[in-house]
Amino acid sequence: MRNLMPPIITRVLFLYANQPDALTTRKIELIANIPDFEVALLYWNRMNSLSIPFTISIPADRLIRIDICDVNSSVLLKFLKRAYVVINMTFKLLHSRPHVVSAGSLDVLVAAVLAKLIFFQKIKLVYDLADTDDLMLLRPVIAMQKFLFRYVDQILITSKRYNDGFLELFKLKSELIPVSYVPNSPPKKLFDFYTPRSWDEEITISYIGTFRGTYSISCLVKAVEQARNAGFNISVLFAGTGPEKELVEKYSLEHDFVKYYGPYKYSEEISKIYSATNIVYACYDDSHNKRIALACRFAEAIVCGIPLIVSKGTYMAELTEKHGLGYAIGPNDVSSLVKIIENLIRTQEERNRIRSNDEKVRNEYLFDSYESELKRIYQSQPKNSMLN
């Protein structure tokens, strides 16, 4: 009788500097279901931060948390706190001895590269570029990113504009490093029970996710108030949390037409929220990241066939106008927003046109369309990666 060799287990460790978002949890669960793969998640649980609650279907002993409050005071204290987290993550990473590491932000990429240098062997390092911020545009940080990217084997981006509007713009990586596009997108089954909201009852325009941008939130409330004064039966729904949570709560107390759903569990409640939505409002602050990013709301609205309202001068606006998915407005342009709302309520042909256009590009914004590419990326580990 032949001696059967036990299967070689491929260990994958996902690193994140916050609670993972919905797309991240989908990636982790997808990779965890590959035969002979063992997946773990190591993340910084910022106990005082306002984040959307997350759920994930992997064993509890493979969820590794670093429980430390974030610091919102001086730059020095922020740096020291992050340095402590990076060092802590590096030691935990060394202890877990993964074959593949997926880093979900710049600070945890530092931990991954440190571990890779200490190992001296080539583990596969995937950088999941799902976000940028103004700090990443500073010259010293750009220089640091160029150094770190020398040790990256694969880059994942959630917006095609991250490639030409960030990676190539600042010459951050070698042409030899492959870049794959996987947008912030829902799986098809998530909206199996989605029911389009009727336009014959009170119309609801929804701001879903992380609340950012005082002006965009105020613009929405003012526009809906004006539309109501003009005789339109419309309300605002805020679902989520974030930096502007207090402003949202204030508006919900001051105005009967402003409803605050609160934080939600994405996989369990997002379909219900969209079933209560006629129009998706996805206007945010004017940061460099928001100009080149594709928010989750963009894909979700397309999948549900719901009209989008986004900020002018952004990549989302470019795609929205190109494919006829909705409208783009300028910052604090209350009058244009009122006209858009009134036109959508009055004109069924316009709503049908947008729904038809959504259907044409729907598959591009379903997570299912990218599953095979993600599996390929995580399964093709370097030849010199560590053995069990």
Side-chain angles (χ1 to χ4, degrees), residues 6-249:
I8 295 177
I9 302 298
T10 299
R11 291 186 294 271
V12 182
L13 181 64
F14 288 83
L15 299 180
Y16 284 88
N18 210 330
Q19 292 188 14
D21 59 20
L23 177 60
T24 299
T25 58
R26 287 193 287 276
K27 289 176 185 174
I28 295 172
E29 290 171 345
L30 176 71
I31 305 306
N33 286 324
I34 298 176
D36 303 326
F37 266 57
E38 184 180 283
V39 169
L41 168 64
L42 170 57
Y43 69 99
W44 177 7
N45 180 36
R46 307 185 192 201
M47 296 181 291
N48 60 334
S49 71
L50 297 172
S51 301
I52 304 295
F54 82 99
T55 55
I56 189 166
S57 300
I58 63 173
D61 62 352
R62 294 182 192 164
L63 288 174
I64 311 163
R65 298 188 333 197
I66 298 176
D67 294 326
I68 302 174
C69 290
D70 202 359
V71 175
N72 295 316
S73 52
S74 72
V75 174
L76 177 61
L77 284 176
K78 282 186 177 181
F79 173 79
L80 292 174
K81 181 75 73 171
R82 287 175 181 265
Y84 174 79
V85 171
V86 166
I87 293 169
N88 198 331
M89 277 196 169
T90 304
F91 280 108
K92 290 182 183 297
L93 200 161
L94 289 168
H95 178 73
S96 65
R97 295 181 63 81
H99 300 92
V100 184
V101 175
S102 183
S105 64
L106 184 58
D107 36 10
V108 299
L109 179 62
V110 174
V113 169
L114 283 174
K116 192 167 182 175
L117 290 172
I118 293 169
F119 282 141
F120 293 110
Q121 291 129 323
K122 187 175 170 68
I123 61 174
K124 178 160 187 171
L125 178 51
V126 179
Y127 182 40
D128 196 348
L129 180 57
D131 218 350
T132 66
D133 60 40
D134 291 341
L135 179 67
M136 296 167 71
L137 309 181
L138 300 177
R139 284 189 178 182
V141 183
I142 287 173
M144 181 182 74
Q145 289 174 91
K146 288 181 179 179
F147 170 77
L148 294 173
F149 282 7
R150 291 165 54 189
Y151 299 93
V152 171
D153 300 292
Q154 171 80 47
I155 298 175
L156 289 175
I157 55 175
T158 55
S159 166
K160 291 179 181 178
R161 192 51 52 84
Y162 280 154
N163 198 26
D164 57 4
F166 182 67
L167 295 173
E168 292 180 357
L169 179 64
F170 296 104
K171 299 179 173 62
L172 293 177
K173 71 172 191 70
S174 161
E175 293 181 359
L176 299 177
I177 301 176
V179 177
S180 295
Y181 166 66
V182 180
N184 286 309
S185 50
K188 186 178 180 180
K189 65 180 181 181
L190 194 65
F191 289 100
D192 279 349
F193 300 102
Y194 162 73
T195 303
R197 183 174 174 83
S198 170
W199 287 78
D200 295 327
E201 53 188 288
E202 183 181 63
I203 304 304
T204 299
I205 179 168
S206 297
Y207 188 120
I208 305 166
T210 303
F211 306 147
R212 299 181 188 278
T214 302
Y215 293 115
S216 62
I217 292 172
S218 298
C219 178
L220 172 59
V221 174
K222 290 176 184 176
V224 171
E225 185 174 30
Q226 288 186 23
R228 287 176 63 85
N229 291 338
F232 291 91
N233 186 18
I234 183 169
S235 64
V236 181
L237 174 66
F238 287 97
T241 188
E244 307 299 342
K245 177 188 174 185
E246 290 186 2
L247 178 63
V248 169
E249 289 176 331

